[in-house]
Amino acid sequence: MVPAVSADCSSTGFTPLVVLELASDTKQEAIAWLLGRIRDPQQNGGAGLLVEQLGLGDGGSEKENPNLFLVGAKWQRLLSGAEEVGLFKEFSDGSMRGFTCANKHNFKHFEGDGDSFLSMAECQYIIKHELDTLRAKDETHVPGHPQVKLYPGKSIIRRLLSKGVLIQVFPLHEKEELKRLSYAWYQKVKLSFQPLDDIRRYYGEGQALYFGFLEYFTFALVPMALIGVPYYLFDWENYDKYVVFAVFNLVWCTVILELWKRFSTSLAYSWGTLSRKKAFEEPRPGFHGVLGFNPVTGREEPLYSNTKRQLCVYLVSLPFVLLCLYLSLYVMMIYFLMEGWVLSVHDEEPTFWTGVLLFIPSIIYAVVIEIMNLVYRYAAEFLTGWENHRLESSYQNQLVLKVLVFNFFNCFASLFYIAFAMQDMALLRQSLATLLITSQILNQVMEAFLPYWLQRRRNKKMMRKVQKRKAVAEAELPLAEQVRLEADMSTYLGTFDDYLELFLLFGYVSLFSCVYPLAAVLVVLNNITEVYSDAFKMCRVFKRPFSEPAANIGVWQLAFEAMSVIAVVTNCSLIGMSPQVKAYFSESETQLILWTVAIEHVLLAFKFILSFIIPDVPKHIQIKLSRLEFESLEALKKKKMLEASELTKGIQ
């Protein structure tokens, strides 16, 4: 439910939902023009929203940007917006249906004027959609800024963002609701499920699905962790016994991904995103090209040659990625030289300190891996932006592909080399443990403690500033100060890095945990702390992100499934290398290889058969979806029959 209006909001008394921050040097005529377009009714080409300028507050500093604007909307406008974006809500019969204003009283929880029907996250998403679809009409440029060209029919907000006139657009936190969510989510330590429905209502489906997957992945690791502990305690040096654990790995990584599809489908249906139609994608901010005619939209807009983009990909991006892979390989060989030197020192004079020294190369290598991943990430973002992808989805897919390839090679190449080239299981176990533990510590420091420390400094600075101006009896900041504090917060960049971390952890567990059975235990402990640190970041460190409708985890599902296929090959190869299996093929190594490859193919076939046997959509949801489709077809038939009968009467 949208909160009550704060007393210090503005004289008009509307509920602020979204903040627009324009550059401090924006011309007044540009501001007046933009606010006019936002306020204009839809029939006149405007957004039909409410917008007011945020005051500087008591004793405001001249250094503060005065161009902060609060955007809200009347309830009828939000309800019509919900219909425009295709929002699905629960119908009176319990099914999920697309919301329509004409049929609004037949939806559950719609009471009176419906002022509590939409969550605040849904209202903010609607406002963002209306702002994004605000189109240029006959303007050729932004008033007062002749260098900022406008194209008829193109999004004004995206253009202003790409040209730096508009600094940021972000949704406001709702203090009381955030307090309740924080308490239920991370402020009390408890053995229970996360409040996914509350997370979804506050942050949207995309964020809730990430936390749902994190929770699901953690619980899925518990059986492997329970099996791994006795393996660690009793079969530590007996590598023949890891055959059973490797077989368990093969089944586990296939089954959990298939069951996740069913679980995520159930979540998406209950949240109304499973059948929701994907909105038409606008060009991403920063996309540029030669002005031309778009045959899809029928408008004149910037176009960019796909051939030129492909040349950029294959002649620049691909060679760069290969060069980075070569550098990663070179660093790996330096690590092995260090490892060899340390082993020679320890063998000459084994002491406690030389024993400690054995772990130093792996720790240094783990730190270097994290640094290389970070530097490469920035380079990949720059390259993908330079490729000039028109749509955000294609940009994200290309970025994910680049980052996954490098991170996989950078993190796992040394383990593959130790396992299959050196065939040193003791060193593989040590390297895996060191890489896993070091990367988890570094991730927690970079993701939670550092942002928390920076944000705490900002909060103290803001409180000191407020207390200088005015005696604040309450702990909470006034609205004007709260908006400026949120505007200064770090921007949440999405779930990309979070999914990437889970992808790498899934790789460590599914590929080599049969050699180091405690891997699953360490990942479970990491994920438990990750839930609390990520929840803390979302509530206290970052700006509130806009809700993003999602029916699944998208391209990451394919990434995890690809990793599970690699896990089949890896575990079969480890089984074939075990002395216990080699003893059966002591006379012919060729037979061993052929049998290993044959079993691997059988297991891959079993994996794909299992993916068909386990349906992605549960039966009860299939029935509900089929019933809705049937009702839609019947309604369409009745409509056509009615139109035909009216046409016949008109002719007679």
Side-chain angles (χ1 to χ4, degrees):
M1 182 175 176
V2 173
V5 181
S6 300
D8 57 351
C9 177
S10 79
S11 58
T12 55
F14 77 100
T15 302
L17 295 170
V18 174
V19 177
L20 294 176
E21 183 179 5
L22 294 166
S24 57
D25 59 350
T26 306
K27 303 295 183 185
Q28 285 302 314
E29 53 263 44
I31 295 174
W33 166 77
L34 178 61
L35 299 189
R37 291 300 311 275
I38 293 173
R39 291 173 178 143
D40 281 347
Q42 284 183 289
Q43 54 268 31
N44 296 338
L49 302 175
L50 305 173
V51 58
E52 293 291 338
Q53 186 168 11
L54 182 73
L56 292 176
D58 298 329
S61 170
E62 292 181 0
K63 293 181 180 179
E64 291 180 349
N65 186 359
N67 295 331
L68 279 168
F69 299 90
L70 303 175
V71 184
K74 294 180 179 178
W75 267 110
Q76 289 304 315
R77 179 69 188 90
L78 290 171
L79 292 175
S80 65
E83 183 174 351
E84 288 175 29
V85 300
L87 207 65
F88 270 61
K89 303 292 282 185
E90 190 176 2
F91 206 62
S92 54
D93 62 359
S95 63
M96 301 300 294
R97 305 193 183 198
F99 176 78
T100 57
C101 291
N103 213 15
K104 59 188 178 184
H105 292 289
N106 291 325
F107 285 85
K108 274 189 178 180
H109 311 301
F110 192 97
E111 300 172 358
D113 294 329
D115 57 354
S116 60
F117 182 64
L118 301 174
S119 68
M120 189 176 184
E122 288 169 337
C123 294
Q124 290 167 333
Y125 174 76
I126 291 166
I127 286 181
K128 180 178 182 292
H129 174 267
E130 299 302 335
L131 290 173
D132 283 344
T133 53
L134 191 63
R135 312 283 181 185
K137 294 190 287 188
D138 53 357
E139 305 99 332
T140 57
H141 63 273
V142 174
H145 296 268
Q147 75 281 8
V148 183
K149 304 294 183 185
L150 293 174
Y151 304 99
K154 301 308 295 178
S155 173
I156 292 172
I157 296 296
R158 288 174 179 267
R159 189 65 177 167
L160 294 177
L161 280 169
S162 65
K163 291 299 181 181
V165 177
L166 181 60
I167 296 174
Q168 60 180 339
V169 183
F170 64 92
L172 276 173
H173 277 294
E174 202 286 296
K175 296 177 185 177
E176 292 303 318
E177 193 175 345
L178 184 62
K179 280 183 182 177
R180 288 193 294 270
L181 177 60
S182 300
Y183 180 75
W185 197 2
Y186 73 89
Q187 285 184 349
K188 58 177 182 178
V189 178
K190 61 190 185 307
L191 292 173
S192 64
F193 294 105
Q194 293 179 92
L196 293 181
D197 288 328
D198 294 337
I199 297 168
R200 174 250 169 181
R201 277 192 292 271
Y202 196 82
Y203 287 110
E205 294 80 15
Q207 203 64 39
L209 274 173
Y210 161 70
F211 283 100
F213 182 74
L214 174 58
E215 179 179 89
Y216 174 85
F217 181 41
T218 306
F219 278 103
L221 283 165
V222 171
M224 186 174 283
L226 292 176
I227 295 172
V229 171
Y231 260 78
Y232 175 80
L233 295 175
F234 304 115
D235 294 321
W236 180 243
E237 296 296 340
N238 191 346
Y239 294 113
D240 295 341
K241 300 295 176 72
Y242 70 54
V243 173
V244 177
F245 202 84
V247 172
F248 178 79
N249 260 1
L250 298 175
V251 178
W252 173 83
C253 64
T254 299
V255 171
I256 65 160
L257 291 177
E258 292 303 317
L259 292 180
W260 162 252
K261 287 182 187 176
R262 291 172 60 84
F263 180 61
S264 65
T265 300
S266 300
L267 287 177
Y269 179 79
S270 66
W271 294 340
T273 55
L274 186 62
S275 302
R276 189 168 172 179
K277 292 181 181 179
K278 194 175 180 181
F280 179 76
E281 281 194 86
E282 291 287 332
R284 53 187 297 272
F287 172 72
H288 59 273
V290 179
L291 198 63
F293 179 78
N294 189 326
V296 177
T297 61
R299 305 189 190 110
E300 195 177 34
E301 61 181 56
L303 301 176
Y304 191 76
S305 169
N306 189 54
T307 304
K308 190 183 291 186
R309 183 180 298 112
Q310 294 301 319
L311 288 173
C312 292
V313 171
Y314 290 108
L315 296 182
V316 179
S317 296
L318 182 59
F320 176 80
V321 173
L322 294 176
L323 176 63
C324 290
L325 295 180
Y326 172 77
L327 290 174
S328 175
L329 189 63
Y330 189 77
V331 171
M332 183 187 79
M333 299 315 295
I334 294 174
Y335 156 66
F336 283 124
L337 289 174
M338 292 171 59
E339 194 74 53
W341 176 76
V342 168
L343 284 170
S344 65
V345 171
H346 180 69
D347 291 340
E348 285 178 10
E349 189 180 350
T351 63
F352 171 77
W353 293 110
T354 57
V356 172
L357 191 64
L358 289 174
F359 293 93
I360 300 302
S362 296
I363 293 173
I364 294 173
Y365 184 52
V367 173
V368 170
I369 282 176
E370 293 299 322
I371 294 171
M372 290 176 67
N373 285 343
L374 186 63
V375 172
Y376 176 83
R377 169 68 184 276
Y378 288 120
E381 287 179 349
F382 173 79
L383 269 180
T384 311
W386 177 73
E387 290 166 6
N388 197 27
H389 295 276
R390 181 177 180 273
L391 302 178
E392 185 65 30
S393 58
S394 59
Y395 170 86
Q396 288 294 333
N397 290 340
Q398 286 293 322
L399 180 61
V400 167
L401 181 61
K402 288 186 183 72
V403 173
L404 282 187
V405 168
F406 180 79
N407 277 257
F408 179 84
F409 190 86
N410 200 31
C411 293
F412 298 113
S414 61
L415 300 178
F416 278 103
Y417 184 82
I418 295 170
F420 302 117
M422 299 174 63
Q423 298 189 12
D424 187 341
M425 296 303 162
L427 181 57
L428 176 62
R429 181 189 68 212
Q430 176 191 314
S431 298
L432 176 61
T434 309
L435 285 173
L436 191 55
I437 294 169
T438 307
S439 65
Q440 288 179 357
I441 293 172
L442 289 174
N443 282 328
Q444 290 297 333
V445 170
M446 295 300 294
E447 290 184 6
F449 296 112
L450 183 60
Y452 169 67
W453 179 74
L454 292 173
Q455 188 56 41
R456 196 172 178 185
R457 287 188 63 188
R458 291 195 193 105
N459 289 353
K460 285 182 178 178
K461 185 178 178 182
M462 179 61 73
M463 287 303 297
R464 282 197 299 268
K465 193 188 298 182
V466 172
Q467 286 168 355
K468 281 181 183 178
R469 300 176 188 173
K470 177 181 177 181
V472 181
E474 301 175 349
E476 291 186 357
L477 293 170
L479 177 67
E481 309 302 341
Q482 181 65 29
V483 170
R484 294 187 182 280
L485 177 62
E486 290 186 32
D488 195 39
M489 283 181 172
S490 301
T491 300
Y492 182 67
L493 299 176
T495 54
F496 185 100
D497 290 319
D498 298 317
Y499 277 121
L500 179 60
E501 183 183 349
L502 292 183
F503 172 79
L504 295 175
L505 292 175
F506 180 74
Y508 284 125
V509 172
S510 61
L511 295 177
F512 299 109
S513 64
C514 61
V515 177
Y516 183 60
L518 279 187
V521 178
L522 293 175
V523 175
V524 167
L525 294 175
N526 174 80
N527 286 2
I528 291 172
T529 59
E530 190 78 16
V531 167
Y532 286 95
S533 64
D534 284 354
F536 175 81
K537 284 189 304 181
M538 295 301 301
C539 296
R540 296 286 301 277
V541 175
F542 291 117
K543 290 186 188 74
R544 183 179 187 175
F546 279 105
S547 168
E548 287 295 335
N552 48 56
I553 61 175
V555 69
W556 292 102
Q557 180 75 36
L558 295 175
F560 280 94
E561 288 176 356
M563 181 67 85
S564 70
V565 172
I566 298 171
V568 170
V569 179
T570 304
N571 282 278
C572 283
S573 301
L574 288 171
I575 291 169
M577 287 169 51
S578 69
Q580 190 178 33
V581 173
K582 282 183 176 179
Y584 289 103
F585 301 94
S586 56
E587 297 180 0
S588 174
E589 190 174 340
T590 306
Q591 272 193 333
L592 172 61
I593 295 171
L594 290 174
W595 270 102
T596 303
V597 172
I599 292 171
E600 170 206 302
H601 280 64
V602 169
L603 287 170
L604 284 173
F606 171 73
K607 174 181 172 61
F608 291 120
I609 290 169
L610 199 62
S611 66
F612 282 107
I613 291 174
I614 302 175
D616 295 348
V617 182
K619 187 69 176 177
H620 69 281
I621 294 179
Q622 286 181 1
I623 293 171
K624 289 180 179 179
L625 293 175
S626 299
R627 186 186 300 151
L628 280 178
E629 187 178 356
F630 173 75
E631 289 176 3
S632 298
L633 290 173
E634 288 297 305
L636 186 61
K637 286 180 184 177
K638 289 179 181 178
K639 184 179 178 182
K640 287 183 177 179
M641 290 174 62
L642 185 62
E643 288 175 352
S645 63
E646 289 178 354
L647 183 62
T648 305
K649 289 179 182 178
I651 294 172
Q652 291 176 349

